[in-house]
Structure formats: structure tokens, C-alpha cells
Amino acid sequence: MESLIDCFSFSNQQVVSLIGSGGKTSLMWYLANCFKNEKVLVSTTTKIGYPQKKSYDYFYTDHFTALGTQGCGITLAGTVTHEGQKLGMPELPDFPAVFSKFDKVFLEADGSKQLPLKGWETFEPVVLPQTTMTIGLIPISVIGEVADRQTVHRLDLFLRAIERKAGHLIDEQTLAEIIASPTGLFEKSRGRRILCMNQVETPQQLEQARAVVKLLPQMLLKRLSKVIACSIQSQKGVVLWEKQNKQ
């Protein structure tokens, strides 16, 4: 595997929405730190955990009209929720208007209650129209687990999307089906679409990730830019599939 950041091939200004389960917050902060010498905004369209450590240079919980007035570095912005444990989308009449003041914008746009997999309600994920890249995450390490309420957020919707019953063993086919389902991972995605299979730590898990790619239908692959297998924890990754640009 190579350095994870090299798998993404970022260029120019980007508004990146992270969706799915199994590593969104970790990947968001990893990517933000890779570009900390530029002007970077980290925020959410749903909710993210209130930061427990200072991973940013500037932090806004109000006075959002001043966003982007500082120099290079990471700006975290979000409205503190009533319980004080999370941040929601900044309360601005036109939050996306500030994106042009930053080189990179990273938005956590989905929630999974910290469970490995999920089904999606009609109102989620919340991917803004200004998104230039959607990164969909799914953890390979969930293979071998049982599909139940301990492993899947919104279990009923998940099972409906893949046409399975509760209690079945999650395998490569299960992951391929929830990724490709019309009501699955990429339903509301925008811009370039990257599938990122996280928690790939062993040769066996890498082969499982390759098997998932082989099971993805061509209709989905036509929508994707690339598929990455990675370990966000070790900051390593490999591109398993990439769309070939036509001459």
C-alpha cells in the first residue's frame, strides 16, 4: 500500500462530502491535515462530535460571517447542539457561500450512530449541491458479522435495500449490494464519486475488498471515479479500480 493521500489525487479547489460508515470523521480530519498549509474548512451538514482535542487552527461556533477571513490552516465550524456534545451545520442563511473562501472544504454529510453499516432514510445523506467530490466509506472488517441492530444503523432500511432478512451473515455480496443499491450508499452523491473501503489491515481483507469490486455492477462503476482499499488508521491505501478517461 502507498500513502493514503496519494490515492485520492486531489487538485484545485474541492468541496468534499463524506458519507457512509466506518471512518468518516477519521478520514475527514486526515484529509484536512494533509492540506493544512492551505485554507481548509471542516464542518458538517448533519452532526459531528464536539472536538476533544485541538485538531484545528481556528474554531467557530458562532459569528460565522467571519469564516475564511484568516490565513492558511484548518478552520472548524459548527453550531453547538443543545446537549453540547455535538456540532451541527453552521447557522448561516447561505452556508455554501463561504466555500469559495477556502481551498478545500471537508463536510461530514452522513451519520451511522458509530455502527459499521447503515440503511438510509429519504432525507439522508445530506450532500450539498456545491459538492465536487463524494467519498463513500464502508468497512471491510464487518464481513463475517451478523446483520442485526448491533451492526447496522436503520436495520430495516438496510435489509429492504439488499432484499435480505435479519440475522444473515454479512459477506462480500452484502457489501456490494448496499454499495450499488438504488437506495444505498451513492444514491444522493454528487461530483466525482470515490468508494473507499476502510479497515483493510491484512492480506485477506485486501482480497475481500478486491472481491467486492468484482461484484459491483457496471452501472455503478460508470458512476464511480475510483475504488480505494485503505486503512485510515495506518494512513495507507491502494487504488483497486479507476475509471479510464476516454481519449
Side-chain angles (χ1 to χ4, degrees):
M1 288 189 174
E2 60 184 297
S3 176
L4 179 55
I5 190 60
D6 294 335
C7 296
F8 288 97
S9 304
F10 279 93
S11 62
N12 305 320
Q13 188 180 42
Q14 298 285 347
V15 178
V16 181
S17 291
L18 295 100
I19 62 173
S21 52
K24 295 185 301 296
T25 302
S26 296
L27 181 59
M28 180 172 67
W29 282 109
Y30 167 74
L31 293 174
N33 276 282
C34 286
F35 295 100
K36 62 184 178 181
N37 293 328
E38 301 180 24
K39 291 182 70 171
V40 176
L41 174 64
V42 171
S43 191
T44 182
T45 60
T46 55
K47 291 181 180 179
I48 55 175
Y50 196 93
Q52 299 301 309
K53 59 180 181 179
K54 190 177 182 299
S55 304
Y56 49 83
D57 299 289
Y58 316 102
F59 184 23
Y60 285 85
T61 57
D62 52 22
H63 304 295
F64 297 119
T65 53
L67 282 171
T69 57
Q70 291 84 7
C72 293
I74 299 173
T75 296
L76 171 63
T79 300
V80 180
T81 58
H82 65 278
E83 67 270 23
Q85 299 298 313
K86 291 183 177 293
L87 297 176
M89 188 164 68
E91 293 180 351
L92 265 176
D94 188 11
F95 175 46
V98 307
F99 295 170
S100 62
K101 299 179 181 180
F102 293 89
D103 300 304
K104 303 288 187 297
V105 177
F106 297 104
L107 304 170
E108 188 164 329
D110 205 357
S112 59
K113 298 290 185 182
Q114 297 184 328
L115 294 179
L117 295 174
K118 70 169 293 185
W120 286 265
E121 281 281 10
T122 56
F123 55 81
E124 57 183 1
V126 185
V127 179
L128 297 179
Q130 294 78 13
T131 297
T132 62
M133 178 187 296
T134 302
I135 301 175
L137 286 102
I138 203 158
I140 207 73
S141 61
V142 75
I143 289 176
E145 299 288 335
V146 174
D148 57 24
R149 299 193 188 281
Q150 281 66 56
T151 55
V152 184
H153 178 46
R154 304 197 196 285
L155 177 64
D156 295 342
L157 294 174
F158 177 85
L159 295 173
R160 187 185 307 166
I162 63 173
E163 299 181 349
R164 301 284 185 90
K165 294 182 179 180
H168 85 274
L169 207 62
I170 298 165
D171 58 11
E172 292 89 344
Q173 185 67 44
T174 308
L175 297 189
E177 288 178 3
I178 197 60
I179 292 166
S181 170
T183 60
L185 181 59
F186 285 100
E187 180 193 7
K188 291 185 169 63
S189 58
R190 295 176 180 268
R192 291 180 60 213
R193 297 166 177 88
I194 295 176
L195 170 60
C196 188
M197 287 184 279
N198 186 29
Q199 299 175 7
V200 178
E201 308 286 350
T202 67
Q204 179 186 7
Q205 288 173 324
L206 181 57
E207 288 308 307
Q208 290 172 330
R210 294 186 192 279
V212 172
V213 176
K214 291 179 180 178
L215 292 167
L216 295 175
Q218 286 299 312
M219 287 297 292
L220 175 69
L221 292 174
K222 288 179 180 179
R223 300 181 68 200
L224 298 180
S225 295
K226 63 174 65 177
V227 179
I228 297 169
C230 73
S231 166
I232 298 171
Q233 184 176 13
S234 63
Q235 301 180 1
K236 298 292 184 181
V238 60
V239 176
L240 299 183
W241 178 90
E242 187 167 9
K243 180 181 292 185
Q244 299 300 313
N245 293 324
K246 294 182 179 180
Q247 298 296 324

